[in-house]
Amino acid sequence: MTWFHTFDPRPHAAMRLFCFPHAGGAAAAYRDWHRSVPPSVEVRAVQYPGRADRAREAPVGDAHVLADLIAEAMRPLLDRPTVLFGHSMGSVLAYETALRVRPAHLIVSGRRAAHVPRPGIVHLGTDEELTAELRRLGGTEPELLDDEEIRAYILPIVRADYRLAETYRCRPAEPLDCPITAIIGDRDPQVDTSNARGWAELTRAGFKLHVLPGDHFYLTRRRTEVIDLILDAVSPGG
C-alpha cells in the first residue's frame, strides 16, 4: 500500500509538506504543488484507502482510526521538520494526525474548527442527493457527475468520506504545541470566519486566519496564493 504520493521526490529537502485531500479526493489533488514550492520543500500527498491505486481497499469511515494509520505510516518520514496541510475533511484528518506526530505547523483549509460540531446526514441520502451536494460545492467537474460509470465509482467513496466527516467528534486533547494557520474562502457555505477562528483554541503556539476570494474550493483557482501563505507561515518569523 502507498500512503504518500511524491510527484517530485526530494530526498535532500529541508522540510516535508504532507497534504490531506478533501472528501472524495485523492492524492492527485496535489499533483502539481511541487512546482510552486522551492527545492527545499518536498510535497507528499496522502492517499486514503479506497481510491485510485488503493481502490481495492475498503475506505476507512472513522477519522480517529484513519489518523492512527496515517501517523504510523508517517513516523519513518519525521526525520526533518514536518508541516501538515488539509482541505475540508482533510483538515480534520491533518489535525488528528498532528495530535499523534507533533508537526512543526498545521495548516487547515475550508473547515470549521475540529471541536465545532459539523453534523449532517448527506451520507444517508440517495445517490441523487449525494450528487446534488457535489454539484452544489463545485469541487467535481460536472461532466464527471454526468457519467453513470464514473458516478458508480466515486459515489461510494464520497459517501464513506461524508460519513467520516459527519460522524466525527473531536475528543478532549491537550492543545497542540505547533502553530495553526487557517485559510477559508469568503463565499464558502461550509465555514465562516467565526467558526474558523475556533482553531485558535486548539493550539498554544499561535494562530492566524486568512480569507481568500472564492467558495469551498477556492484553492483550485488560488493554488499559488495558498502555497505562498503556507510558505510564509512556516518561514522564520512567519
Side-chain angles (χ1 to χ4, degrees):
M1 69 181 69
T2 302
W3 278 99
F4 311 110
H5 282 209
T6 310
F7 301 104
D8 181 18
R10 299 177 181 179
H12 302 295
M15 184 185 83
R16 288 196 173 105
L17 172 63
F18 289 88
C19 299
F20 293 68
H22 56 279
Y30 301 103
R31 174 179 296 277
D32 295 322
W33 276 42
H34 66 276
R35 304 182 191 278
S36 301
V37 299
S40 59
V41 179
E42 181 183 70
V43 178
R44 291 192 174 234
V46 181
Q47 187 75 293
Y48 307 136
R51 62 214 72 202
D53 58 320
R54 303 187 68 179
R56 294 186 179 182
E57 301 175 50
V60 178
D62 184 296
H64 301 285
V65 172
L66 186 51
D68 283 340
L69 295 171
I70 294 171
E72 185 61 29
M74 193 180 289
R75 292 192 195 286
L77 302 171
L78 300 176
D79 57 337
R80 63 203 68 186
T82 299
V83 175
L84 307 185
F85 171 88
H87 179 65
S88 195
M89 180 190 78
S91 293
V92 166
L93 291 170
Y95 166 71
E96 286 291 336
T97 302
L99 290 173
R100 293 155 171 78
V101 304
R102 303 296 176 179
H105 207 111
L106 170 64
I107 300 169
V108 293
S109 166
R111 181 58 159 82
R112 64 185 67 185
H115 63 309
V116 177
R118 184 187 175 277
I121 57 172
V122 173
H123 70 281
L124 298 175
T126 65
D127 285 354
E128 290 72 21
E129 291 168 334
L130 195 55
T131 300
E133 172 69 6
L134 295 179
R135 293 187 191 278
R136 183 181 73 88
L137 290 178
T140 308
E141 295 296 332
E143 56 268 26
L144 297 181
L145 296 175
D146 292 337
D147 187 298
E148 186 175 344
E149 290 187 9
I150 294 178
R151 282 202 313 275
Y153 166 71
I154 66 174
L155 287 184
I157 298 171
V158 172
R159 189 180 300 280
D161 286 354
Y162 265 82
R163 181 183 302 112
L164 181 152
E166 293 178 338
T167 61
Y168 168 73
R169 297 296 180 269
C170 186
R171 297 171 180 170
E174 287 294 314
L176 293 172
D177 293 322
C178 70
I180 297 178
T181 296
I183 313 172
I184 64 172
D186 63 358
R187 301 190 309 278
D188 190 337
Q190 304 277 22
V191 59
D192 56 31
T193 54
S194 61
N195 52 43
R197 286 195 180 98
W199 286 105
E201 301 172 21
L202 301 181
T203 177
R204 56 169 64 98
F207 170 77
K208 286 186 179 180
L209 171 63
H210 301 278
V211 182
L212 295 178
D215 56 17
H216 189 62
F217 285 96
Y218 73 92
L219 73 172
T220 301
R221 294 185 176 181
R222 299 190 176 275
R223 184 184 70 200
T224 299
E225 294 171 67
V226 172
I227 293 176
D228 285 346
L229 287 175
I230 293 172
L231 295 176
D232 181 67
V234 303
S235 64

